[in-house]
């Protein structure tokens, strides 16, 4: 299965660049592990991560606020 991930929101107002960045994706069978890191200079707001397959949104993951330089990992399962 070929999937694409898109960050739905969260930008830094001064630079217009995303504060949250997908830094790693690992695939194990039907599961994807996604690591999201706050690369901004302050704590990020709550956001959503959109998971797409063949151009269609299949999952929307809520990302809690993250302190600068912190990260969070998410697991997405497919069938």
């Amino acid at each position: 299965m070929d999937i694409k991930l898109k960050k739905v929101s969260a930008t830094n107002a001064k630079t217009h660049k995303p504060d949250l960045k997908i830094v790693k994706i690992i695939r194990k069978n039907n599961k994807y592990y996604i690591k999201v890191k706050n690369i901004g200079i302050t704590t990020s707001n709550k956001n959503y991560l959109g998971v797409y397959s063949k151009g269609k949104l299949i999952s929307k993951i809520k990302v809690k606020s993250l302190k600068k330089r912190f990260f969070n990992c998410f697991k997405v399962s497919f069938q």
Side-chain angles (χ1 to χ4, degrees), residues 2-36:
D2 183 33
I3 67 163
K4 291 184 180 180
L5 301 167
K6 290 185 182 179
K7 203 167 81 41
V8 178
S9 61
T11 57
N12 182 324
K14 292 181 181 178
T15 63
H16 298 288
K17 292 182 181 177
D19 280 28
L20 299 179
K21 182 178 181 179
I22 297 170
V23 292
K24 186 179 259 187
I25 301 172
I26 298 172
R27 180 181 180 185
K28 292 185 181 177
N29 298 321
N30 288 355
K31 295 181 179 106
Y32 287 83
Y33 297 89
I34 305 160
K35 184 176 181 180
V36 176

Side-chain angles (χ1 to χ4, degrees), residues 20 22 24-26 31-37 47-49 51 61-64 66 71-77:
L20 299 179
I22 297 170
K24 186 179 259 187
I25 301 172
I26 298 172
K31 295 181 179 106
Y32 287 83
Y33 297 89
I34 305 160
K35 184 176 181 180
V36 176
K37 183 176 182 179
N47 294 283
Y48 291 91
L49 174 72
V51 180
I61 302 167
K62 187 175 184 178
V63 179
K64 295 180 181 179
L66 292 172
F71 65 90
N72 204 343
C73 294
F74 303 95
K75 179 174 76 170
V76 180
S77 300

Side-chain angles (χ1 to χ4, degrees), residues 19-20 36-45 64-72:
D19 280 28
L20 299 179
V36 176
K37 183 176 182 179
N38 180 355
I39 60 170
I41 58 173
T42 61
T43 301
S44 68
N45 294 325
K64 295 180 181 179
S65 64
L66 292 172
K67 293 181 182 179
K68 65 180 179 178
R69 294 188 293 263
F70 276 63
F71 65 90
N72 204 343

